[in-house]
Amino acid sequence: MAIEQTFVMIKPDAVSRGLVGDIISRFEKKGMKIKAMRLEMADPEVVAKHYEVHKERPFYQGLVDFIQSAPVVPMLVEGENAIAVSRALMGATNPAEGRPGEIRFDLGQHIGRNLIHGSDGPETAAFEVGLWFPDGGADYKVAGEQWLFE
Ligand code: IDP
Ligand code: MG
């Protein structure tokens, strides 16, 4: 049993298109616990640090501008294998290369508007959770948590 924390962010295209509920529902139904969540215009300094790894990529400026174009929903997600589970729920970076059942395939339009971000490994998760949620999240039990996790 490996209970992990990861960082998930619903991007501006999903917020604008009214897909927040559908996306969050998929995490809840899988048994992931949302420990913290906000709806906000992303802090430009946080976005710069978050996407620094992509700074040299041709899509970097467009990506940063897009992320700051409308509100995002940053979430601190916890659960068994939460990092891999979140990536699986999201699906392939390019919606066209995904499979039915994945958020990006089911709802996404193209690679530059792929609805959702999720940390891609333990180190990234620790960095991104600390960056977006320096205070950590609420400590509580979800209904059925004992059944799910024990
Ligand atoms: P990921 O979100 O699946 O982890 P990354 O390779 O880390 O994918 O890329 C980060 C984000 O940058 C993607 O989610 C997507 O929004 C954007 N991106 C990646 N590649 C491209 C591209 O070729 N064109 C436009 N945007 C891209
Ligand atoms: Mg990534």
Side-chain angles (χ1 to χ4, degrees):
M1 187 168 75
I3 301 296
E4 295 174 337
Q5 291 192 344
T6 190
F7 174 69
V8 173
M9 176 170 60
I10 302 177
K11 294 179 178 179
D13 50 339
V15 175
S16 301
R17 291 175 56 205
L19 300 174
V20 171
D22 187 323
I23 291 171
I24 289 175
S25 173
R26 295 171 186 234
F27 283 82
E28 289 185 326
K29 282 187 278 194
K30 180 62 184 172
M32 294 291 106
K33 177 197 275 188
I34 298 166
K35 289 209 80 182
M37 178 171 71
R38 302 187 300 266
L39 172 77
E40 65 185 16
M41 292 299 292
D43 179 337
E45 285 183 22
V46 170
V47 173
K49 286 180 187 157
H50 177 88
Y51 281 125
E52 194 168 5
V53 63
H54 294 307
K55 212 169 173 186
E56 306 305 326
R57 310 280 285 277
F59 57 81
Y60 173 78
Q61 196 56 50
L63 175 61
V64 165
D65 290 345
F66 162 62
I67 291 296
Q68 296 172 135
S69 66
V72 295
V73 178
M75 300 191 286
L76 170 47
V77 172
E78 184 178 278
E80 183 152 10
N81 298 320
I83 299 169
V85 165
S86 297
R87 294 288 300 191
L89 288 170
M90 289 161 49
T93 304
N94 185 347
E97 292 168 4
R99 309 279 300 167
E102 298 170 352
I103 291 166
R104 285 165 164 174
F105 181 89
D106 288 351
L107 310 172
Q109 294 171 323
H110 59 84
I111 194 166
R113 296 289 183 271
N114 62 4
L115 305 172
I116 184 164
H117 166 87
S119 308
D120 63 6
E123 284 176 20
T124 319
F127 169 72
E128 293 176 352
V129 166
L131 177 64
W132 290 85
F133 294 101
D135 297 335
D139 202 13
Y140 67 99
K141 268 193 180 288
V142 295
E145 185 175 21
Q146 244 166 339
W147 177 78
L148 284 166
F149 294 152
E150 288 175 7

